[in-house]
Amino acid sequence: MKKKSRSKEIAEKTIFASFQILKEAGGEMRGSEVVEKLRERLTFDEYENFRYEKTGYIRWESILHFFTIDCMKAGYMRKQSGMWILTEEGEEAMKLGAEKLLSTATKKYREWDALNKQSKESDLSQDIDIDDTEEISQKQEALLSQYESSALDGIREFVNRKNPYEFQDLVAELLKAMGYHIALVAPKGRDGGIDIIAYTDPLGVNSPRIIVQVKHRPENNVNSDEIQKLSGTMKRNSDVGIFVTSGDFSSPAKQEATSAYKHIELIDFSRFVKLWIEYYPRMSDEQKNMLPLHPVYFLGSKE
């Protein structure tokens, strides 16, 4: 019987523990937070904690990212804007145990790879060991996933250091770049639940009037009561509400916005960053300097 590689052993325990963490969190969590919780939950030896010289990444973290690709192709998990999402199929696969879960995901990845007629020479899901030669870098999607996660963490840290009024100004500048005309940015003090008022035309003649509530709470979810309060500030029938947070929205808050009689759009941190990136080319240098980005291009896939 062929001896199992160290990389597979590491992958089995980190992937399964990641699924457990995601399940406990209600099915989704930022990838960086999953990694932090793995550090707390699992014990890693010197081999597993080895840092690759070229990339600077820790071996067990790279192996984890490497094999999440198999899990995504198997339909066990999804990644979206830095969030890791456990699917129903992934939760069901947990019943197989750590070893069988990974081997099944790897099998499904190979089937997907064959279906898409990719080169078998590039298939690193075979039972190889990811050692000091850094073969993991050959699986570009895994490495790119790590870079994207690191980049998003850097942006998050930059935004988190801003005070609530600076974040409010960021939101206003984003709306300007999107083509809206800002009529009000609330000064310091009580704002009556309205932080920004925007229109689709310079004079505010045309509907709708856009009422914006901004909360700079990176570590806390916006609850449903706050969505209701925003709805209460929308006095005109044609008003549209936008709630922007540097954190996330609770499930009841999302449900409240969806079922509300009036149109309320939710923008969490991930969506805010997506929009900032999308409209970044339209911004002035002054606007860009408020949250400066530097694009890096990688060879894409044919998917």
Side-chain angles (χ1 to χ4, degrees):
M1 183 176 179
K2 187 176 181 181
K3 183 181 178 181
K4 186 186 302 181
S5 69
R6 283 298 307 274
S7 63
K8 280 294 180 69
E9 292 175 350
I10 296 168
E12 287 172 1
K13 76 174 185 179
T14 55
I15 289 290
F16 193 77
S18 296
F19 279 29
Q20 289 177 320
I21 290 168
L22 289 171
K23 183 178 179 180
E24 292 164 8
E28 64 179 72
M29 181 181 285
R30 293 174 192 148
S32 57
E33 291 181 355
V34 174
V35 171
E36 285 300 319
K37 287 191 175 293
L38 286 172
R39 290 195 184 99
E40 299 170 2
R41 183 169 299 193
L42 302 178
T43 301
F44 298 102
D45 59 26
E46 184 177 353
Y47 175 86
E48 293 166 325
N49 277 320
F50 173 81
R51 186 180 296 275
Y52 291 116
E53 184 177 349
K54 290 181 182 178
T55 63
Y57 289 125
I58 303 299
R59 176 180 271 126
W60 74 263
E61 293 179 29
S62 293
I63 290 172
L64 169 65
H65 282 275
F66 183 98
F67 283 96
T68 58
I69 305 302
D70 291 16
C71 294
M72 286 192 292
K73 299 307 181 187
Y76 293 166
M77 66 179 295
R78 295 188 292 113
K79 292 183 182 180
Q80 184 177 1
S81 301
M83 298 294 292
W84 288 15
I85 303 166
L86 180 66
T87 65
E88 292 182 4
E89 292 83 358
E91 188 170 340
E92 184 66 23
M94 292 177 66
K95 298 176 183 178
L96 299 173
E99 183 176 357
K100 188 67 174 177
L101 185 153
L102 186 66
S103 63
T104 303
T106 297
K107 179 182 178 182
K108 288 180 179 292
Y109 171 82
R110 290 176 180 169
E111 291 171 353
W112 171 89
D113 186 56
L115 186 64
N116 286 269
K117 298 180 180 180
Q118 294 187 356
S119 170
K120 295 302 176 183
E121 295 179 357
S122 66
D123 183 6
L124 296 185
S125 296
Q126 299 176 42
D127 198 10
I128 61 168
D129 196 19
I130 302 171
D131 54 18
D132 296 352
T133 60
E134 299 185 59
E135 289 181 276
I136 191 166
S137 64
Q138 296 175 39
K139 196 166 186 181
Q140 186 184 28
E141 193 171 357
L143 189 59
L144 178 57
S145 174
Q146 285 186 277
Y147 284 141
E148 289 177 335
S149 179
S150 296
L152 192 60
D153 288 343
I155 295 172
R156 188 184 299 276
E157 183 179 347
F158 181 87
V159 171
N160 287 357
R161 289 199 299 266
K162 293 187 175 295
N163 64 45
Y165 296 100
E166 289 173 329
F167 182 63
Q168 179 178 279
D169 289 340
L170 272 181
V171 174
E173 295 306 320
L174 173 60
L175 291 171
K176 285 182 186 178
M178 295 174 72
Y180 295 105
H181 300 269
I182 307 302
L184 169 73
V185 176
K188 292 183 179 180
R190 295 184 63 84
D191 54 29
I194 299 176
D195 293 315
I196 300 170
I197 296 178
Y199 293 96
T200 57
D201 66 286
L203 298 179
V205 175
N206 299 323
S207 297
R209 180 179 65 162
I210 301 166
I211 306 297
V212 186
Q213 179 70 60
V214 181
K215 292 295 182 185
H216 188 33
R217 294 198 301 237
E219 304 303 325
N220 297 307
N221 288 344
V222 173
N223 59 45
S224 59
D225 290 344
E226 294 173 288
I227 305 300
Q228 291 175 358
K229 288 178 182 178
L230 171 59
S231 181
T233 66
M234 300 162 63
K235 305 300 185 182
R236 302 176 187 174
N237 290 333
S238 59
D239 281 350
V240 168
I242 300 178
F243 204 121
V244 187
T245 177
S246 54
D248 298 304
F249 295 94
S250 68
S251 294
K254 294 176 183 177
Q255 185 175 359
E256 180 67 31
T258 302
S259 61
Y261 172 72
K262 297 178 180 178
H263 183 171
I264 297 179
E265 199 71 23
L266 303 184
I267 300 178
D268 59 11
F269 175 78
S270 296
R271 190 177 181 190
F272 171 80
V273 172
K274 274 187 174 181
L275 290 170
W276 190 271
I277 292 172
E278 181 179 352
Y279 289 93
Y280 194 72
R282 302 185 187 181
M283 294 181 182
S284 66
D285 289 342
E286 185 177 356
Q287 289 174 316
K288 290 178 179 178
N289 286 336
M290 296 178 72
L291 177 52
L293 303 178
H294 182 76
V296 178
Y297 298 97
F298 291 84
L299 180 66
S301 68
K302 296 182 179 179
E303 288 187 73

